[in-house]
Amino acid sequence: MDATTPSTQDRPELATAPELCVVVPVLNERDNIAPLVDRLRAVLAGIAWEVIFVDDDSTDGTREAVAAIGRQDARVRLLHRIGRRGLSSAFIEGAQASLAPFVAAMDGDLQHDEALLPRMFAALRDDGYEVAVGSRYVAGGGIGAWGRTRAGMSDIATRLSRLILRAPVTDPMSGFFMVRRGTLDAAVRGLSAMGFKILLDLLASLPAPPKLIELPYEFRTRVAGESKLDAGVLRDYLLLLIDKLVGHVVPVRFVLFAGVGVLGIAAHLVMLRLALFVVNFEQAQTFATAVAIIANYTLNNLFTFRDRRLRGRRLVIGLITFSAICSVGAVANVGAAEFLFGQRHAAWWFAGAAGAVMSLVWNYAVSSVITWRK
Ligand code: GDD
Ligand code: MN
């Protein structure tokens, strides 16, 4: 470089703005950070790229590992979230923190094959595709060393996803993909942002099926750190499906609450039948009601309001407020149904269902602000 050419040291604005942002959600991935950055540097040579690690308050020194590199290399960035969880929201927020016209989602545990990134990039920039998906299920791809259970679960989840997908994709569960900024922008306000399945969420939120290409890759075996896949991921997946199916009509939480209520009625009837072997009807009905309330309470605490789950002493207090709320709901239910049936001469089933729906809405609305208040 001769003396007249400004160096980026004197003219920092000449440093190239990133064209590609790789968003990497991480939770306790300390030992995978440095190898991942090394691989990105190797495969993305020639592209103006940046990587944003979105860390949900890891406790193993992940952020320190990112910082150690990021202080020497401005392409390596960190977004530290506190009190938050979830791969999908991590990706969205990482992507929104960047101005790059192309955005990739990639795991931080080296299971995704980074060699695919330049090919995804070329497909979007040069071939006009809007989304490029790293796929395990097209010819040449694979699921690596997955056990039969995990493979079976993935298969079922993929089939279920067809309920909400319009575009034909063989691997909508993939967490490895690249998207144009404009395509992301078209979907971003409609995203459910629940749980793990961001690509599915994105595809189901777009106004029209995007121009999409699937590129095969072999899912690698994790070496360092641990998988975060647990029962919560399954629950979040079902929530995403429900939200995409009926979320524009009623909140997902209400659907869960109602579902638990239906289970409660089943539990009630089973208990009533069993108790009738031992005691008279009034006693049996009282017993079955108590069991149903406790069952409803427990299930709502575990599923419907999992994110606000009550424990210890608050679990007991919650049961008391929940029972009180449901009792009022039951009285209102009977009153409303009686009014419709007796005064308005509504059909018995209409009066009964209207009373039940009314108490369901009451129980949901009041218990979500009292029993499971934020
Ligand atoms: N920020 C953040 N917050 N990161 C998270 C969280 C979270 O709550 N949970 C997991 N991660 C990070 C992990 O640190 C890892 O970098 C990546 O997300 C994937 O998590 P794993 O726990 O390794 O997921 P997996 O290997 O079981 O799941 C993979 O397969 C799915 C396809 O079946 C991932 O690739 C998914 O993206 C993919 O959908
Ligand atoms: Mn993994």
Side-chain angles (χ1 to χ4, degrees):
M1 192 185 300
D2 65 65
T4 57
T5 320
S7 75
T8 56
Q9 282 248 292
D10 315 322
R11 300 281 309 275
E13 71 276 17
L14 294 182
T16 341
E19 251 192 305
L20 168 66
C21 175
V22 184
V23 180
V24 182
V26 282
L27 189 60
N28 297 329
E29 302 286 0
R30 181 193 58 214
D31 297 331
N32 291 317
I33 303 291
L36 180 62
V37 173
D38 284 342
R39 293 180 188 199
L40 291 179
R41 284 174 175 149
V43 298
L44 296 177
I47 298 173
W49 60 276
E50 67 178 349
V51 58
I52 302 184
F53 289 97
V54 185
D55 175 72
D56 283 348
D57 218 15
S58 293
T59 50
D60 71 339
T62 295
R63 278 185 308 289
E64 289 73 6
V66 175
I69 307 171
R71 291 200 176 102
Q72 314 291 323
D73 185 341
R75 297 172 300 184
V76 177
R77 300 174 51 194
L78 172 71
L79 179 60
H80 178 189
R81 305 197 304 171
I82 296 173
R84 306 284 306 281
R85 273 297 153 85
L87 210 52
S88 292
S89 63
F91 167 75
I92 297 162
E93 285 165 36
Q96 298 301 91
S98 163
L99 293 169
F102 301 97
V103 185
M106 188 172 161
D107 286 356
D109 56 5
L110 309 174
Q111 289 193 272
H112 291 161
D113 184 355
E114 63 288 336
L116 218 54
L117 288 169
R119 295 179 45 213
M120 291 173 161
F121 187 69
L124 298 194
R125 192 190 54 183
D126 308 331
D127 306 336
Y129 287 102
E130 295 174 291
V131 182
V133 178
S135 173
R136 299 160 294 174
Y137 301 132
V138 288
I143 54 174
W146 269 5
R148 281 189 47 197
T149 321
R150 176 82 203 253
M153 272 171 57
S154 178
D155 186 49
I156 293 171
T158 305
R159 285 164 197 272
L160 274 176
S161 74
R162 311 240 157 88
L163 288 173
I164 61 170
L165 268 184
R166 278 157 276 163
V169 198
T170 60
D171 194 0
M173 301 292 140
S174 176
F176 188 28
F177 64 92
M178 196 180 292
V179 58
R180 279 171 188 271
R181 169 72 60 189
T183 309
L184 186 60
D185 284 346
V188 76
R189 287 189 172 74
L191 293 171
S192 303
M194 294 169 172
F196 253 52
K197 299 305 167 193
I198 179 64
L199 176 64
L200 180 61
D201 195 357
L202 176 78
L203 296 177
S205 304
L206 281 171
K211 224 182 143 218
L212 180 145
I213 183 171
E214 290 191 81
L215 301 170
Y217 83 100
E218 179 86 25
F219 196 73
R220 291 193 291 232
T221 307
R222 190 189 254 280
V223 180
E226 281 166 18
S227 170
K228 280 88 202 170
L229 192 89
D230 58 13
V233 170
L234 195 67
R235 168 189 174 270
D236 288 346
Y237 180 61
L238 294 178
L239 291 192
L240 174 64
L241 289 183
I242 296 173
D243 191 44
K244 280 282 173 280
L245 284 171
V246 298
H248 50 287
V249 187
V250 282
V252 182
R253 224 193 265 280
F254 181 74
V255 176
L256 288 184
F257 194 85
V260 166
V262 170
L263 285 179
I265 294 174
H268 183 107
L269 292 179
V270 171
M271 283 302 147
L272 180 62
R273 176 66 268 191
L274 291 177
L276 279 175
F277 288 121
V278 201
V279 291
N280 68 28
F281 187 83
E282 198 184 343
Q283 292 164 328
Q285 173 72 355
T286 308
F287 169 75
T289 305
V291 172
I293 286 184
I294 293 171
N296 269 21
Y297 176 67
T298 310
L299 291 175
N300 279 322
N301 196 45
L302 285 176
F303 298 106
T304 318
F305 294 99
R306 184 176 191 87
D307 51 328
R308 308 181 197 167
R309 195 158 16 143
L310 306 170
R311 297 162 202 268
R313 203 169 66 91
R314 296 183 52 212
L315 186 67
V316 181
I317 299 171
L319 178 60
I320 296 168
T321 61
F322 183 74
S323 311
I325 293 162
C326 292
S327 306
V328 175
V331 172
N333 173 348
V334 174
E338 218 162 57
F339 171 77
L340 287 174
F341 185 69
Q343 311 284 312
R344 293 288 156 119
H345 308 293
W348 64 268
W349 57 267
F350 181 80
V357 169
M358 206 195 78
S359 69
L360 179 67
V361 173
W362 157 271
N363 290 349
Y364 172 72
V366 181
S367 70
S368 66
V369 293
I370 294 183
T371 309
W372 288 282
R373 70 168 167 271
K374 277 196 197 132

